[in-house]
Amino acid sequence: QVQLVESGGGLVQAGDSLRLSCAASGRTLSTYAMGWFRQAPGKEREFVAALSWSGGSTLYADSVKGRFTVSRDNAKNTVYLQMNSLKPEDTAVYYCAARPMVPMVQSTEYDDWGQGTQVTVSS
């Protein structure tokens, strides 16, 4: 099992940028695919982005494609989500999650989850 801690959330204005970090402990992330999900109040958790253990394969939700970039630094055991051109509809709690090797869009495919970090985008 890997422990995940997200950070970097906050309150920003529409059009601003944020970079979320997901730091892992307990195990090296080098063999894990990592995903980012978000959950807005009253809504189900939804897929945002994911990347493979090597970082060579990425997946993005249509709603964030071209604005968000997922990356990883296995030497630092950390995964990032760079969020640009933020919109009020991006407001949510953002979670990172880990699973073996291959990135998936379904949240049920992920084994380990962080506690989440709040992102609020004002208009």
Side-chain angles (χ1 to χ4, degrees):
Q1 188 175 14
V2 59
Q3 289 77 45
L4 303 171
V5 178
E6 302 94 336
S7 61
L11 171 63
V12 297
Q13 293 187 334
D16 286 350
S17 298
L18 276 177
R19 188 177 79 159
L20 305 184
S21 299
C22 173
S25 62
R27 288 187 179 182
T28 177
L29 283 183
S30 61
T31 61
Y32 286 83
M34 299 298 296
W36 285 96
F37 293 80
R38 66 187 182 187
Q39 188 166 18
K43 295 187 177 181
E44 293 186 354
R45 189 169 297 187
E46 66 173 358
F47 171 76
V48 176
L51 79 169
S52 61
W53 66 274
S54 67
S57 177
T58 56
L59 300 171
Y60 292 97
D62 288 344
S63 59
V64 307
K65 202 171 293 183
R67 299 188 298 123
F68 290 12
T69 302
V70 60
S71 62
R72 66 192 302 157
D73 185 339
N74 286 341
K76 295 183 177 180
N77 233 24
T78 301
V79 178
Y80 305 98
L81 184 66
Q82 177 67 43
M83 306 186 296
N84 298 329
S85 303
L86 283 162
K87 304 176 181 180
E89 51 263 44
D90 294 319
T91 295
V93 177
Y94 283 71
Y95 301 89
C96 66
R99 72 177 310 280
M101 305 301 284
V102 179
M104 305 286 281
V105 301
Q106 300 91 342
S107 61
T108 53
E109 296 290 339
Y110 289 79
D111 302 313
D112 300 299
W113 290 81
Q115 84 292 345
T117 185
Q118 176 71 48
V119 172
T120 304
V121 185
S122 64
S123 57

